[in-house]
mmCIF file of all heavy atoms in Angstrom:
data_model
loop_
_atom_site.group_PDB
_atom_site.id
_atom_site.type_symbol
_atom_site.label_atom_id
_atom_site.label_comp_id
_atom_site.label_asym_id
_atom_site.label_seq_id
_atom_site.Cartn_x
_atom_site.Cartn_y
_atom_site.Cartn_z
ATOM 1 N N PRO Z 1 -8.163 -5.781 12.284
ATOM 2 C CA PRO Z 1 -8.598 -4.671 13.146
ATOM 3 C C PRO Z 1 -8.308 -3.303 12.678
ATOM 4 O O PRO Z 1 -7.414 -3.164 11.788
ATOM 5 C CB PRO Z 1 -7.644 -5.017 14.416
ATOM 6 C CG PRO Z 1 -7.344 -6.479 14.310
ATOM 7 C CD PRO Z 1 -7.306 -6.773 12.804
ATOM 8 N N LEU Z 2 -8.994 -2.387 13.171
ATOM 9 C CA LEU Z 2 -8.804 -0.958 12.601
ATOM 10 C C LEU Z 2 -7.469 -0.505 12.737
ATOM 11 O O LEU Z 2 -6.945 0.173 11.757
ATOM 12 C CB LEU Z 2 -9.723 -0.074 13.457
ATOM 13 C CG LEU Z 2 -9.793 1.419 13.024
ATOM 14 C CD1 LEU Z 2 -10.311 1.622 11.646
ATOM 15 C CD2 LEU Z 2 -10.741 2.198 13.987
ATOM 16 N N GLU Z 3 -6.746 -0.752 13.847
ATOM 17 C CA GLU Z 3 -5.404 -0.314 14.001
ATOM 18 C C GLU Z 3 -4.341 -0.892 13.082
ATOM 19 O O GLU Z 3 -3.317 -0.350 12.897
ATOM 20 C CB GLU Z 3 -4.918 -0.455 15.511
ATOM 21 C CG GLU Z 3 -4.894 -1.892 16.007
ATOM 22 C CD GLU Z 3 -6.134 -2.376 16.563
ATOM 23 O OE1 GLU Z 3 -7.198 -1.643 16.471
ATOM 24 O OE2 GLU Z 3 -6.187 -3.476 17.017
ATOM 25 N N GLN Z 4 -4.681 -1.971 12.366
ATOM 26 C CA GLN Z 4 -3.857 -2.675 11.402
ATOM 27 C C GLN Z 4 -4.229 -2.333 9.894
ATOM 28 O O GLN Z 4 -3.499 -2.689 8.980
ATOM 29 C CB GLN Z 4 -3.812 -4.060 11.597
ATOM 30 C CG GLN Z 4 -3.308 -4.671 12.908
ATOM 31 C CD GLN Z 4 -3.535 -6.116 13.052
ATOM 32 O OE1 GLN Z 4 -3.858 -6.782 12.103
ATOM 33 N NE2 GLN Z 4 -3.401 -6.620 14.265
ATOM 34 N N ALA Z 5 -5.333 -1.745 9.695
ATOM 35 C CA ALA Z 5 -5.851 -1.538 8.379
ATOM 36 C C ALA Z 5 -5.105 -0.772 7.411
ATOM 37 O O ALA Z 5 -4.738 -1.139 6.295
ATOM 38 C CB ALA Z 5 -7.382 -1.130 8.355
ATOM 39 N N ALA Z 6 -4.627 0.451 7.862
ATOM 40 C CA ALA Z 6 -3.809 1.329 7.037
ATOM 41 C C ALA Z 6 -2.457 0.702 6.679
ATOM 42 O O ALA Z 6 -2.144 0.679 5.554
ATOM 43 C CB ALA Z 6 -3.563 2.643 7.677
ATOM 44 N N ALA Z 7 -1.797 0.090 7.720
ATOM 45 C CA ALA Z 7 -0.507 -0.508 7.324
ATOM 46 C C ALA Z 7 -0.664 -1.674 6.422
ATOM 47 O O ALA Z 7 0.216 -1.864 5.608
ATOM 48 C CB ALA Z 7 0.164 -0.980 8.721
ATOM 49 N N THR Z 8 -1.552 -2.508 6.669
ATOM 50 C CA THR Z 8 -1.935 -3.633 5.848
ATOM 51 C C THR Z 8 -2.257 -3.297 4.390
ATOM 52 O O THR Z 8 -1.652 -3.823 3.466
ATOM 53 C CB THR Z 8 -3.054 -4.573 6.385
ATOM 54 O OG1 THR Z 8 -2.662 -5.011 7.716
ATOM 55 C CG2 THR Z 8 -3.250 -5.747 5.564
ATOM 56 N N GLY Z 9 -3.114 -2.267 4.247
ATOM 57 C CA GLY Z 9 -3.442 -1.906 2.912
ATOM 58 C C GLY Z 9 -2.291 -1.201 2.100
ATOM 59 O O GLY Z 9 -2.025 -1.628 1.034
ATOM 60 N N CYS Z 10 -1.480 -0.439 2.815
ATOM 61 C CA CYS Z 10 -0.263 0.193 2.213
ATOM 62 C C CYS Z 10 0.772 -0.928 1.887
ATOM 63 O O CYS Z 10 1.312 -0.869 0.749
ATOM 64 C CB CYS Z 10 0.367 1.131 3.206
ATOM 65 S SG CYS Z 10 -0.714 2.709 3.326
ATOM 66 N N ARG Z 11 0.950 -1.874 2.812
ATOM 67 C CA ARG Z 11 1.934 -2.937 2.435
ATOM 68 C C ARG Z 11 1.527 -3.730 1.296
ATOM 69 O O ARG Z 11 2.264 -4.090 0.382
ATOM 70 C CB ARG Z 11 2.020 -3.831 3.663
ATOM 71 C CG ARG Z 11 3.069 -4.904 3.546
ATOM 72 C CD ARG Z 11 3.178 -5.906 4.761
ATOM 73 N NE ARG Z 11 1.879 -6.212 5.408
ATOM 74 C CZ ARG Z 11 1.182 -7.241 4.890
ATOM 75 N NH1 ARG Z 11 1.490 -7.835 3.793
ATOM 76 N NH2 ARG Z 11 0.063 -7.589 5.486
ATOM 77 N N LEU Z 12 0.166 -4.126 1.148
ATOM 78 C CA LEU Z 12 -0.271 -4.817 0.004
ATOM 79 C C LEU Z 12 -0.087 -4.061 -1.290
ATOM 80 O O LEU Z 12 0.325 -4.638 -2.349
ATOM 81 C CB LEU Z 12 -1.805 -5.229 0.227
ATOM 82 C CG LEU Z 12 -2.126 -6.213 1.290
ATOM 83 C CD1 LEU Z 12 -3.689 -6.337 1.439
ATOM 84 C CD2 LEU Z 12 -1.559 -7.649 0.889
ATOM 85 N N LEU Z 13 -0.370 -2.838 -1.247
ATOM 86 C CA LEU Z 13 -0.346 -1.937 -2.402
ATOM 87 C C LEU Z 13 1.117 -1.798 -2.924
ATOM 88 O O LEU Z 13 1.509 -1.931 -4.076
ATOM 89 C CB LEU Z 13 -0.979 -0.627 -2.182
ATOM 90 C CG LEU Z 13 -1.128 0.233 -3.433
ATOM 91 C CD1 LEU Z 13 -1.923 -0.484 -4.642
ATOM 92 C CD2 LEU Z 13 -1.942 1.491 -3.086
ATOM 93 N N LEU Z 14 2.040 -1.611 -1.971
ATOM 94 C CA LEU Z 14 3.508 -1.464 -2.252
ATOM 95 C C LEU Z 14 4.101 -2.835 -2.840
ATOM 96 O O LEU Z 14 4.904 -2.842 -3.752
ATOM 97 C CB LEU Z 14 4.240 -0.961 -1.053
ATOM 98 C CG LEU Z 14 3.988 0.479 -0.797
ATOM 99 C CD1 LEU Z 14 4.693 0.901 0.646
ATOM 100 C CD2 LEU Z 14 4.388 1.368 -1.840
ATOM 101 N N ALA Z 15 3.614 -3.931 -2.274
ATOM 102 C CA ALA Z 15 4.096 -5.194 -2.694
ATOM 103 C C ALA Z 15 3.477 -5.510 -4.063
ATOM 104 O O ALA Z 15 4.109 -6.090 -4.925
ATOM 105 C CB ALA Z 15 3.577 -6.356 -1.758
ATOM 106 N N ALA Z 16 2.331 -5.075 -4.359
ATOM 107 C CA ALA Z 16 1.753 -5.273 -5.717
ATOM 108 C C ALA Z 16 2.567 -4.420 -6.762
ATOM 109 O O ALA Z 16 2.848 -4.961 -7.850
ATOM 110 C CB ALA Z 16 0.300 -4.829 -5.741
ATOM 111 N N ALA Z 17 2.931 -3.197 -6.401
ATOM 112 C CA ALA Z 17 3.699 -2.353 -7.279
ATOM 113 C C ALA Z 17 5.110 -3.054 -7.582
ATOM 114 O O ALA Z 17 5.557 -2.956 -8.675
ATOM 115 C CB ALA Z 17 3.867 -0.989 -6.572
ATOM 116 N N ASP Z 18 5.654 -3.620 -6.448
ATOM 117 C CA ASP Z 18 6.956 -4.333 -6.639
ATOM 118 C C ASP Z 18 6.785 -5.499 -7.558
ATOM 119 O O ASP Z 18 7.584 -5.732 -8.439
ATOM 120 C CB ASP Z 18 7.526 -4.779 -5.321
ATOM 121 C CG ASP Z 18 8.122 -3.716 -4.497
ATOM 122 O OD1 ASP Z 18 8.335 -2.571 -5.069
ATOM 123 O OD2 ASP Z 18 8.360 -3.936 -3.381
ATOM 124 N N SER Z 19 5.611 -6.237 -7.453
ATOM 125 C CA SER Z 19 5.452 -7.444 -8.269
ATOM 126 C C SER Z 19 5.227 -7.071 -9.710
ATOM 127 O O SER Z 19 5.512 -7.872 -10.612
ATOM 128 C CB SER Z 19 4.285 -8.246 -7.706
ATOM 129 O OG SER Z 19 3.063 -7.719 -8.109
ATOM 130 N N LEU Z 20 4.613 -5.848 -10.006
ATOM 131 C CA LEU Z 20 4.472 -5.378 -11.359
ATOM 132 C C LEU Z 20 5.711 -4.655 -11.845
ATOM 133 O O LEU Z 20 5.721 -4.116 -12.915
ATOM 134 C CB LEU Z 20 3.258 -4.552 -11.331
ATOM 135 C CG LEU Z 20 1.837 -5.118 -11.217
ATOM 136 C CD1 LEU Z 20 0.820 -4.051 -11.056
ATOM 137 C CD2 LEU Z 20 1.636 -6.062 -12.362
ATOM 138 N N GLU Z 21 6.796 -4.646 -11.039
ATOM 139 C CA GLU Z 21 7.996 -3.901 -11.342
ATOM 140 C C GLU Z 21 7.709 -2.427 -11.721
ATOM 141 O O GLU Z 21 8.152 -1.922 -12.828
ATOM 142 C CB GLU Z 21 8.781 -4.562 -12.542
ATOM 143 C CG GLU Z 21 9.150 -6.016 -12.017
ATOM 144 C CD GLU Z 21 9.892 -6.865 -13.082
ATOM 145 O OE1 GLU Z 21 10.102 -6.262 -14.234
ATOM 146 O OE2 GLU Z 21 10.261 -7.925 -12.759
ATOM 147 N N LEU Z 22 7.053 -1.712 -10.826
ATOM 148 C CA LEU Z 22 6.604 -0.297 -11.097
ATOM 149 C C LEU Z 22 7.336 0.603 -10.189
ATOM 150 O O LEU Z 22 6.998 0.774 -8.976
ATOM 151 C CB LEU Z 22 5.095 -0.124 -10.861
ATOM 152 C CG LEU Z 22 4.262 -0.974 -11.686
ATOM 153 C CD1 LEU Z 22 2.758 -0.869 -11.417
ATOM 154 C CD2 LEU Z 22 4.405 -0.561 -13.250
ATOM 155 N N PRO Z 23 8.548 1.179 -10.551
ATOM 156 C CA PRO Z 23 9.258 2.027 -9.664
ATOM 157 C C PRO Z 23 8.680 3.486 -9.627
ATOM 158 O O PRO Z 23 7.887 3.787 -10.492
ATOM 159 C CB PRO Z 23 10.592 2.124 -10.355
ATOM 160 C CG PRO Z 23 10.399 1.917 -11.759
ATOM 161 C CD PRO Z 23 9.133 0.907 -11.816
ATOM 162 N N GLY Z 24 9.019 4.170 -8.660
ATOM 163 C CA GLY Z 24 8.513 5.574 -8.519
ATOM 164 C C GLY Z 24 7.209 5.860 -8.124
ATOM 165 O O GLY Z 24 6.723 7.014 -8.159
ATOM 166 N N TRP Z 25 6.503 4.821 -7.553
ATOM 167 C CA TRP Z 25 5.097 5.073 -7.012
ATOM 168 C C TRP Z 25 5.229 5.705 -5.607
ATOM 169 O O TRP Z 25 6.153 5.559 -4.895
ATOM 170 C CB TRP Z 25 4.454 3.732 -6.810
ATOM 171 C CG TRP Z 25 3.847 3.188 -8.091
ATOM 172 C CD1 TRP Z 25 4.455 3.233 -9.267
ATOM 173 C CD2 TRP Z 25 2.675 2.510 -8.225
ATOM 174 N NE1 TRP Z 25 3.714 2.647 -10.225
ATOM 175 C CE2 TRP Z 25 2.558 2.113 -9.664
ATOM 176 C CE3 TRP Z 25 1.618 2.129 -7.433
ATOM 177 C CZ2 TRP Z 25 1.471 1.467 -10.151
ATOM 178 C CZ3 TRP Z 25 0.643 1.459 -7.938
ATOM 179 C CH2 TRP Z 25 0.526 1.135 -9.289
ATOM 180 N N THR Z 26 4.287 6.704 -5.372
ATOM 181 C CA THR Z 26 4.209 7.416 -4.077
ATOM 182 C C THR Z 26 2.796 7.255 -3.570
ATOM 183 O O THR Z 26 1.864 7.575 -4.284
ATOM 184 C CB THR Z 26 4.572 8.857 -4.284
ATOM 185 O OG1 THR Z 26 5.788 8.946 -4.871
ATOM 186 C CG2 THR Z 26 4.581 9.618 -2.962
ATOM 187 N N LEU Z 27 2.734 6.829 -2.287
ATOM 188 C CA LEU Z 27 1.452 6.694 -1.626
ATOM 189 C C LEU Z 27 1.032 8.102 -1.203
ATOM 190 O O LEU Z 27 1.818 8.790 -0.582
ATOM 191 C CB LEU Z 27 1.416 5.778 -0.417
ATOM 192 C CG LEU Z 27 1.729 4.283 -0.746
ATOM 193 C CD1 LEU Z 27 1.672 3.518 0.531
ATOM 194 C CD2 LEU Z 27 0.735 3.724 -1.772
ATOM 195 N N GLY Z 28 -0.121 8.453 -1.586
ATOM 196 C CA GLY Z 28 -0.721 9.802 -1.220
ATOM 197 C C GLY Z 28 -1.612 9.577 0.025
ATOM 198 O O GLY Z 28 -1.254 9.030 0.943
ATOM 199 N N THR Z 29 -2.850 10.125 -0.094
ATOM 200 C CA THR Z 29 -3.826 10.083 0.898
ATOM 201 C C THR Z 29 -4.210 8.627 1.306
ATOM 202 O O THR Z 29 -4.535 7.960 0.368
ATOM 203 C CB THR Z 29 -5.036 10.914 0.704
ATOM 204 O OG1 THR Z 29 -4.531 12.266 0.278
ATOM 205 C CG2 THR Z 29 -5.946 10.940 1.768
ATOM 206 N N VAL Z 30 -4.181 8.342 2.581
ATOM 207 C CA VAL Z 30 -4.668 7.012 2.987
ATOM 208 C C VAL Z 30 -5.754 7.238 3.988
ATOM 209 O O VAL Z 30 -5.562 7.875 4.993
ATOM 210 C CB VAL Z 30 -3.476 6.218 3.690
ATOM 211 C CG1 VAL Z 30 -4.072 4.774 4.215
ATOM 212 C CG2 VAL Z 30 -2.376 5.961 2.667
ATOM 213 N N ARG Z 31 -6.884 6.653 3.743
ATOM 214 C CA ARG Z 31 -8.020 6.834 4.630
ATOM 215 C C ARG Z 31 -8.505 5.401 5.012
ATOM 216 O O ARG Z 31 -8.609 4.494 4.223
ATOM 217 C CB ARG Z 31 -9.139 7.644 4.071
ATOM 218 C CG ARG Z 31 -8.815 9.013 3.764
ATOM 219 C CD ARG Z 31 -10.054 9.793 3.342
ATOM 220 N NE ARG Z 31 -9.726 11.263 3.281
ATOM 221 C CZ ARG Z 31 -9.567 11.936 2.085
ATOM 222 N NH1 ARG Z 31 -9.680 11.304 1.012
ATOM 223 N NH2 ARG Z 31 -9.193 13.167 2.119
ATOM 224 N N VAL Z 32 -8.985 5.299 6.295
ATOM 225 C CA VAL Z 32 -9.501 3.969 6.830
ATOM 226 C C VAL Z 32 -10.857 4.350 7.418
ATOM 227 O O VAL Z 32 -11.000 5.308 8.255
ATOM 228 C CB VAL Z 32 -8.565 3.380 7.754
ATOM 229 C CG1 VAL Z 32 -9.129 2.129 8.278
ATOM 230 C CG2 VAL Z 32 -7.194 3.066 7.091
#
């Protein structure tokens, strides 16, 4: 659902960065 899309996308991206062991990432603009 629309109200979950931004949170889900950000969570997936941060989890992916953790799995690749990439510290120091910052999420910038998020659009849905």
Side-chain angles (χ1 to χ4, degrees):
L2 183 61
E3 61 273 4
Q4 296 175 11
T8 301
C10 290
R11 182 179 47 76
L12 288 173
L13 192 51
L14 291 171
D18 285 347
S19 75
L20 292 171
E21 299 179 358
L22 300 173
W25 281 37
T26 304
L27 296 183
T29 305
V30 178
R31 292 189 174 105
V32 178

